[in-house]
Amino acid sequence: MGLITGVFTFLYHLPQIYKWLLKPYYIASFLMTVAFLVVRKTPGLCEHLATQREDGNSCDFDWRELEILMFLSAIVMMKNRRAFTLEQHIGNLFLFSKVANVILFFRLDIRLGILYLTLCVAFVMTCKPPLYMGPEYIKYFNDKTIDEELQKDSRVTWIVEFYANWSSDCQAFAPIFADLSLKYNCAGLRFGKVDIGRYGEISQRYRVSTSPLAKQLPSVALFKGGQEIMRRPVVDSKGRAMSWTFNEENMIREFNLNELFQKSKKLNKACGIKGEEQIEVPPEVGSNVLHPDSNTEQPKQSKKDQ
């Protein structure tokens, strides 16, 4: 039953997957993922490879290679249990497939292993995963504007994401945070982001560690009158983030977004703004038109600057 569900899920997302594969990052990742399979199965090439099979067939996997591939499958399944987007599922598959390929190539021939490892390093240094560039109502802060914006109006509640472009978890959370901003942004409830991978002073000021071991990226904090009210994930005394899943349901529940939005509409009425005008109407996909009441910068311009 699980296999059938997985097949239908794959077919449902096939147009989106096809669109991803047209991007250079995913094309290169896919080619590097299947590299060992291609080398082992290509006629005219596989005959010259070493093998530990009893029948001497060098064009098929031996028992040790099968063990490594099965172990890879188990690791990917375990990691994907905490994945909440299709991008994360595919990203985990690409990442651990490359690690397995390094081991397989070094075991096969040290020269092939060095060559593949060199390609992996070059890939990491030159090919970055594509950033989310869809519609959103988000203001991007820098080290000079964040304090001013958070303290400008005590009636405005800010939900701010601290992120880094190199973090795969931040990249996976980006479309979810953008979708929440489309649904809940209004005059009294605003959404913001700051790249602490670029602005290290903000990382220290707001006590958000950029270390991969701390697992604090992304971090989302709720601010009222410039004061932090709460944040997720919660950080323990040792500086490590407690396990928390960044999905839309958890964000709405933990930050009481529905209640905050209702209170914000009352604030809009008190300011002489009709409540009906504060109901956000998401723009069409690919549109960069912002709400008139929002002083947010256009996301595409901000991301290009970053």
Side-chain angles (χ1 to χ4, degrees), residues 252-287:
I252 294 174
R253 181 180 65 252
E254 293 292 323
F255 288 89
N256 294 321
L257 291 183
N258 291 322
E259 181 179 349
L260 287 174
F261 184 70
Q262 295 300 323
K263 290 182 179 179
S264 299
K265 290 198 297 185
K266 294 180 180 179
L267 172 62
N268 297 336
K269 292 180 180 180
C271 295
I273 303 175
K274 294 182 179 181
E276 292 79 0
E277 295 178 354
Q278 298 306 311
I279 301 177
E280 299 293 341
V281 180
E284 297 180 358
V285 176
S287 173

Side-chain angles (χ1 to χ4, degrees), residues 1-40:
M1 184 64 183
L3 180 60
I4 297 176
T5 304
V7 172
F8 277 106
T9 302
F10 175 80
L11 294 177
Y12 176 78
H13 291 285
L14 187 58
Q16 186 177 5
I17 295 175
Y18 178 75
K19 183 178 180 180
W20 290 340
L21 291 179
L22 295 179
K23 299 180 179 179
Y25 173 82
Y26 293 108
I27 294 175
S29 295
F30 177 77
L31 293 176
M32 297 187 69
T33 297
V34 300
F36 184 81
L37 175 63
V38 172
V39 171
R40 179 58 88 179

